Amino acid sequence: MRELLSGDTLVKLADLWNRLFSSLEGQGIATADYYGGAELQLSGAIQLGDQPVMLVQVEGPPDVRYYWRSTVYDAYDAAARRWRHIRTVRAFTDEAGLQFNIGSLLPGARAAVRQQITMLIRSTDLIHAAPQPSEMGLPVEAELDCVEDFGRTCVNTNGPTDVAIIRARAPLRSGDSYTVTSLVSVASASALRAAGQDYPDWVLRLYLQGAGDVSLRVRELAAQIIRQAGAVTPYDQARAVEFWLRTNIQYNESIPAPPRGRDPIEWFLFEQRQGYCNYYATAMVLMLRSQGIPARMAAGFAQGTWDPERQTYLVRERDAHTWVEVYFPGYGWVEFEPTADEAPINRRDDMAPQVLLPTVTPVPTPTPIATATPTLPPPTPEGGGAATPTGVSSNPMVPASPTPSPTPAPSATPPPPPDVTRVGGRGGSDVLRVILLTLGALALLIAALILLALFLIWYVEYRGLGGLSAVQRAYARLAIYGRWLGLRFDAAATPDERRRYLVGQLPEIEQPVTTITHTYVAERYAPPPPPEQRAFANRLAQQAWSTARWAFIRRKLAAWLGRGR
């Protein structure tokens, strides 16, 4: 019961209502929210298909490299192997036209790009846009920070903001279109070299987080790459690290999960020497932060395939991607591409290096048993050996005049959960008072119904399951709710056979059912994990069950309404 009632009560009630009744027409719930969660886990092998996700039509300057961003992550937890985004304000509007102020920019730093995005998946509420979105063509809800004071005043005064994720107020169905205007970076390499290091306080506060926790081996490798490249400015230092990752790490989507008890980025850089975009981007962000350069992970999709007949980009599931954004004073967040199988980003007046970066010998970590730290092999042609992206060429790296390096800021204390603020209104608390004063009787009735519903959920979901872990409870509830819908499970079926049967009956819950099943199998049959991994698996199963629960309830309501007509 405490789990159900935690957090902002009104927000949860509104979300519950939307989840219950947004999809009774039969088209399903919001699915395929690629990188739409509050956390991103570094895990093992991935498998992406060719399913079309969206079409993007662009009106903007030519020769721009596009990404379609859904989320940015700022806080990295090495022990839990995950990224999170933490914001203090949740702003929403029920009208189109919400604008985001991305801060003061130098003339010519960015250009406005209008995008029309048409969804091709069944349903989602996640908004994708070229970085950095500035104006929304539909009602949305955004998680953000007011960067001048970390309060809530920016929402209604159009003050500078730092947006983490944007969601549509109503689900977007297949065939639905929306427009977004973004301010994309068009800065030249020479301009970024001259940007300096006069970083705003909020950038240092949030985007050097964890710099002091980066392992010595990773920190020294970053310093050695920069030193041997002769890179002096933050731009050239970022390019040096980017280029080294592209030429020394092989792209591979079939890697195993990092060994338990090991730093996943040390394992990626010094032992596995293979991986996919989540690992490339994490490594680059941590390496730059360890050298005092503010950076963050961005997630969403690469630009996709250009369709000359439709004059659009066709974005498929296989284009799901993470990359790096680095902050430059006067220019804002600028994209970098460390992943070997993606084409490099080429900027104006950037000169290609005359030779490849020197071979870097990682600094060994002292261990009780003396073992030699191997020297990294000589760089291969850009793309990490096995990867063969189209149009890949060497990246520029030209040192410029020295500038002082900032002292890494201490890790930021996580802010409280976002406050909810209506754009153009008086704020959540005032609206709540008006509602309570004018609609008191109705509120009491709704509260009574909700309490009854919570009691029923508790009775169904916790009775007889008190001695189980969160993962085991989530797995048991799949069978309880399945039988409620009239599904019949084979008592001899394996967990994966049950998963396939459930997904076949309710395709909309494939993702949460798969998550619950995999965590259950790992807990049941694998060796006991460390406490932090066990806690993370419990949270993962709880989040997946929250999604699956409402899918079961919606299906039951749809069945009742269908019989009543």
Side-chain angles (χ1 to χ4, degrees):
M1 184 70 73
R2 182 170 59 254
E3 173 188 330
L4 291 169
L5 291 174
S6 61
D8 189 313
T9 305
L10 286 182
V11 174
K12 288 185 177 292
L13 295 183
D15 184 63
L16 182 153
W17 184 267
N18 289 331
R19 287 174 178 269
L20 276 175
F21 298 108
S22 64
S23 306
L24 286 179
E25 300 93 333
Q27 296 188 43
I29 61 171
T31 59
D33 272 5
Y34 303 94
Y35 299 115
E39 298 181 351
L40 174 63
Q41 184 78 12
L42 292 181
S43 57
I46 59 172
Q47 186 173 4
L48 298 173
D50 284 339
Q51 177 190 10
V53 175
M54 58 187 170
L55 294 170
V56 186
Q57 187 174 11
V58 176
E59 298 175 12
D63 303 323
V64 172
R65 170 68 171 275
Y66 290 110
Y67 294 92
W68 317 118
R69 196 184 73 190
S70 62
T71 315
V72 294
Y73 295 101
D74 48 74
Y76 177 68
D77 185 340
R81 304 176 179 179
R82 69 168 182 261
W83 283 95
R84 295 179 298 156
H85 60 73
I86 304 171
R87 293 297 183 268
T88 56
V89 176
R90 185 185 294 127
F92 70 93
T93 175
D94 291 321
E95 298 177 357
L98 178 61
Q99 296 182 350
F100 300 111
N101 180 349
I102 67 171
S104 300
L105 301 170
L106 293 174
R110 309 188 83 90
V113 173
R114 184 180 184 274
Q115 307 129 73
Q116 179 170 312
I117 298 175
T118 303
M119 301 311 302
L120 302 179
I121 56 177
R122 184 166 62 180
S123 183
T124 183
D125 63 356
L126 195 61
I127 296 295
H128 293 85
Q132 307 291 319
S134 61
E135 184 172 356
M136 312 305 298
L138 75 170
V140 296
E141 177 180 297
E143 293 184 26
L144 54 87
D145 281 332
C146 296
V147 298
E148 288 185 335
D149 59 2
F150 282 88
R152 299 169 60 184
T153 57
C154 69
V155 173
N156 288 304
T157 62
N158 198 29
T161 61
D162 182 26
V163 178
I165 189 169
I166 306 171
R167 293 187 179 274
R169 293 285 285 169
L172 297 165
R173 312 279 186 195
S174 178
D176 288 349
S177 296
Y178 62 91
T179 59
V180 181
T181 299
S182 301
L183 297 177
V184 302
S185 175
V186 292
S188 64
S190 59
L192 295 175
R193 286 191 183 97
Q197 294 171 274
D198 186 16
Y199 299 117
D201 290 341
W202 66 271
V203 171
L204 296 175
R205 171 180 170 180
L206 292 178
Y207 295 107
L208 290 180
Q209 175 269 343
D213 299 327
V214 176
S215 75
L216 177 63
R217 296 183 77 190
V218 174
R219 182 188 302 274
E220 289 297 329
L221 175 60
Q224 193 171 3
I225 291 169
I226 290 170
R227 182 170 60 253
Q228 294 191 19
V232 179
T233 68
Y235 176 76
D236 288 310
Q237 292 169 358
R239 287 294 255 173
V241 172
E242 175 191 54
F243 183 68
W244 188 90
L245 288 168
R246 293 180 63 86
T247 55
N248 286 275
I249 304 296
Q250 181 176 330
Y251 185 85
N252 185 356
E253 295 180 357
S254 301
I255 62 170
R260 289 174 180 167
R262 295 295 311 279
D263 183 312
I265 299 308
E266 275 198 6
W267 172 80
F268 168 69
L269 290 173
F270 300 108
E271 295 180 24
Q272 183 67 19
R273 305 294 306 286
Q274 298 179 2
Y276 48 89
C277 57
N278 294 356
Y279 286 91
Y280 282 95
T282 300
M284 182 171 176
V285 170
L286 296 184
M287 293 167 82
L288 293 183
R289 288 185 180 186
S290 75
Q291 304 304 305
I293 301 173
R296 68 187 186 185
M297 175 184 279
F301 289 89
Q303 68 181 4
T305 305
W306 176 250
D307 185 338
E309 293 185 3
R310 300 186 188 183
Q311 293 291 295
T312 60
Y313 290 99
L314 172 60
V315 181
R316 298 180 180 274
E317 183 182 79
R318 65 170 180 256
D319 297 312
H321 190 46
T322 55
W323 60 96
V324 176
E325 294 182 351
V326 180
Y327 190 88
F328 294 90
Y331 297 89
W333 293 103
V334 176
E335 297 78 30
F336 285 78
E337 184 51 81
T339 300
D341 81 325
E342 292 287 333
I345 299 174
N346 297 309
R347 295 184 177 87
R348 286 183 291 116
D349 71 19
D350 229 350
M351 297 175 59
Q354 298 301 311
V355 294
L356 294 175
L357 284 175
T359 300
V360 176
T361 303
V363 177
T365 299
T367 56
I369 301 175
T371 56
T373 302
T375 299
L376 300 184
T380 57
E382 185 162 347
T388 55
T390 303
V392 173
S393 61
S394 297
N395 284 353
M397 228 167 318
V398 181
S401 56
T403 51
S405 297
T407 302
S411 300
T413 301
D419 291 325
V420 181
T421 303
R422 178 188 292 275
V423 178
R426 297 176 56 196
S429 59
D430 291 338
V431 173
L432 177 60
R433 276 191 221 95
V434 173
I435 293 174
L436 291 176
L437 290 173
T438 58
L439 302 175
L442 180 59
L444 288 174
L445 176 61
I446 292 174
L449 291 175
I450 290 171
L451 288 174
L452 176 60
L454 293 177
F455 174 78
L456 292 175
I457 291 174
W458 172 84
Y459 184 81
V460 171
E461 293 189 6
Y462 289 87
R463 187 172 61 94
L465 305 180
L468 302 180
S469 69
V471 171
Q472 294 167 342
R473 283 199 303 269
Y475 185 77
R477 290 165 185 164
L478 293 177
I480 293 171
Y481 275 69
R483 287 191 292 268
W484 183 46
L485 293 181
L487 304 182
R488 295 292 178 264
F489 297 92
D490 185 352
T494 66
D496 192 63
E497 288 171 340
R498 286 194 171 204
R499 180 191 67 82
R500 289 199 298 268
Y501 173 68
L502 260 178
V503 170
Q505 298 297 318
L506 288 85
E508 64 268 32
I509 61 170
E510 179 178 3
Q511 183 175 351
V513 168
T514 300
T515 298
I516 293 170
T517 302
H518 287 174
T519 54
Y520 173 79
V521 170
E523 179 173 301
R524 181 73 183 273
Y525 301 107
E532 64 272 12
Q533 290 190 19
R534 185 164 58 249
F536 176 76
N538 284 334
R539 289 196 299 272
L540 200 64
Q542 289 170 349
Q543 292 170 0
W545 173 246
S546 295
T547 301
R549 175 196 293 128
W550 304 122
F552 280 113
I553 294 175
R554 270 193 303 272
R555 179 62 71 92
K556 191 66 174 181
L557 289 177
W560 284 342
L561 294 176
R563 286 198 298 267
R565 285 195 292 267

